[in-house]
Amino acid sequence: MASGSPELYRNPMSITIGLTLDAEEAGGYSALPWYALRKNYCEALAQAGGTPVCLPHHAEAVAAYLDLVDGILVTGGAFDVDPSLFGAEGRHRSVVLKPGRTTFELALVNGALERDMPILGICGGQQLLAVALGGSLIQHIPDEVPGALAHEQDTPRHQPAHGVRVTPRTRLARIVDHAEIEVNSTHHQAVKSVGPGCVVNAVAPDGVIEGIEMPAKRFCLGVQWHPEYGVSPADAALLRAFVESCK
Ligand SMILES: NCCCC(=O)O
């Protein structure tokens, strides 16, 4: 079924997924501040059975948003989490902060965790989720990981960049049903350590953490790659499992 088809949204048991947005101060679309989100996040969620709704960065609206949706997808984008939020001293020169976005996303994730509402974090969204769960981040992979793979691929993002080893007996392993999967890669940061109760569910050949999850939660999982591009069948399986968990 084509995305955009009305049938995708005519499910009486519609599952509404709130997506976070990126934000730009000016330039490109408008001289005034604007929100942005790649359309394939919404299309891939719709194909997985969800009804996507985008959530502007209004921290005071978090409770109302969480009343409205069945799960949240924390997206990636051109931003980094402030290192002071995970106790790092100093900030790498490549770090780009968007404090309004980060403040909103932390409030949203903390609210969802309190309600045990399903959460999926993608790329920067996984990094945000890791910090919300008490973890820390590598601020710039090329400077902190000797012999690192190229984690910012220069090939199209619907093509694989590298494999990842899926940790046995994790939720991710049950979802993708493979010990290794191929993923795309477009990031300069990564999860460095996970907080209490959180586990690593996928690792790249260079040791970079590629996925995390919180087993005690209904569905609380992050991946460093972008499943919305559909690089392998594992990507669609992950999005379907997330949407299913929101029922
Ligand atoms: N920290 C932003 C997410 C993407 C990246 O790591 O480049």
Side-chain angles (χ1 to χ4, degrees):
M1 192 181 301
S3 66
S5 152
E7 285 69 30
L8 277 173
Y9 302 102
R10 282 208 183 110
N11 180 351
M13 303 293 286
S14 174
I15 300 163
T16 306
I17 309 294
L19 291 94
T20 63
L21 297 162
D22 204 1
E24 295 294 342
E25 279 309 304
Y29 171 72
S30 174
L32 296 176
W34 48 283
Y35 291 118
L37 186 68
R38 236 184 309 99
K39 286 168 69 175
N40 64 351
Y41 278 109
C42 299
E43 289 159 356
L45 261 187
Q47 290 292 348
T51 298
V53 296
C54 297
L55 306 177
H57 300 168
H58 298 173
E60 67 281 12
V62 159
Y65 289 162
L66 294 174
D67 288 345
L68 178 72
V69 302
D70 301 303
I72 64 169
L73 196 168
V74 189
T75 62
F79 73 99
D80 299 309
V81 177
D82 189 334
S84 69
L85 292 171
F86 49 89
E89 288 181 11
R91 186 186 305 163
H92 192 278
R93 64 188 178 284
S94 66
V95 165
V96 174
L97 302 185
K98 292 186 177 170
R101 174 177 178 164
T102 297
T103 300
F104 169 71
E105 287 185 324
L106 284 174
L108 188 72
V109 164
N110 285 325
L113 288 169
E114 276 172 25
R115 297 179 187 213
D116 200 10
M117 179 178 281
I119 304 170
L120 175 63
I122 292 180
C123 192
Q126 169 188 242
Q127 296 165 11
L128 185 289
L129 179 62
V131 172
L133 295 171
S136 65
L137 303 180
I138 292 170
Q139 291 194 38
H140 192 60
I141 291 170
D143 288 352
E144 295 182 44
V145 183
L149 296 169
H151 283 273
E152 297 202 82
Q153 70 185 91
D154 53 15
T155 49
R157 293 176 184 178
H158 61 272
Q159 294 177 6
H162 60 76
V164 299
R165 192 166 23 85
V166 180
T167 311
R169 292 177 293 283
T170 57
R171 179 187 290 267
L172 182 68
R174 290 193 294 277
I175 292 170
V176 304
D177 198 25
H178 280 83
E180 185 164 332
I181 57 173
E182 291 291 315
V183 301
N184 58 12
S185 191
T186 169
H187 60 109
H188 80 113
Q189 298 203 323
V191 174
K192 185 176 191 174
S193 65
V194 293
C198 198
V199 300
V200 172
N201 59 22
V203 182
D206 57 6
V208 166
I209 292 174
E210 292 277 340
I212 62 170
E213 62 189 56
M214 184 77 113
K217 292 290 185 188
R218 193 167 136 205
F219 189 107
C220 178
L221 189 150
V223 292
Q224 188 55 68
W225 64 94
H226 283 272
E228 70 275 17
Y229 282 88
V231 165
S232 82
D235 286 340
L238 174 57
L239 294 173
R240 272 197 313 273
F242 167 56
V243 172
E244 282 289 312
S245 78
C246 298
K247 278 183 179 169

